[in-house]
Amino acid sequence: MAKVTGLARFYYATKYSIKGITAAFKHEPAFQYEVYGFLVLFPASFWVAQTATQWALLVSVCLLVLILELINSAIEAVVDRAGTEFNELAGRAKDLGSAAVMFGLFITAAVWGGVIWDNGGLF
């Protein structure tokens, strides 16, 4: 069977991406919390940012957390599919994915804090 190309490929890729986001929101509480955080921080970014670059940084780091959580959830799904018995490598894979999300949250806090600091605070 030939691979789909062109606009059809874009259509199917978008469809699968939306399916993945929907599944993450439905089955992953951490992703839900991070989406709720994004829904608060996105409008706040228009108030906090004083330049287009600052706005792009504030929004990008929030999207980075969502991306990392999606990757972490994918890793966990594959590990859980492979088996339910304890396996040191499986546990390590899950822990490493979780650590990636944690560092993404640290980066988000640092960027938001830095932009707020550079702008003289919130008030």
Side-chain angles (χ1 to χ4, degrees):
M1 184 166 144
K3 282 195 169 218
V4 178
T5 60
L7 284 177
R9 173 70 182 126
F10 178 76
Y11 168 77
Y12 285 111
T14 302
K15 183 178 167 181
Y16 298 141
S17 296
I18 291 169
K19 186 176 176 182
I21 293 166
T22 302
F25 192 81
K26 181 177 178 183
H27 299 289
E28 300 294 334
F31 186 74
Q32 291 175 9
Y33 302 145
E34 290 153 357
V35 167
Y36 297 145
F38 180 80
L39 293 175
V40 170
L41 292 176
F42 181 74
S45 68
F46 291 99
W47 180 59
V48 171
Q50 293 181 358
T51 67
T53 301
Q54 285 183 349
W55 180 82
L57 284 169
L58 295 175
V59 172
S60 294
V61 294
C62 293
L63 291 173
L64 174 66
V65 170
L66 295 175
I67 291 165
L68 291 169
E69 187 61 52
L70 288 169
I71 294 168
N72 181 44
S73 296
I75 291 167
E76 288 181 354
V78 169
V79 167
D80 290 346
R81 169 66 176 91
T84 57
E85 72 282 348
F86 175 78
N87 180 287
E88 182 181 345
L89 293 175
R92 187 182 313 160
K94 287 183 165 191
D95 293 346
L96 291 168
S98 179
V101 175
M102 182 182 70
F103 280 120
L105 292 167
F106 290 163
I107 291 167
T108 300
V111 168
W112 275 77
V115 168
I116 290 168
W117 180 278
D118 283 349
N119 294 346
L122 293 175
F123 303 105

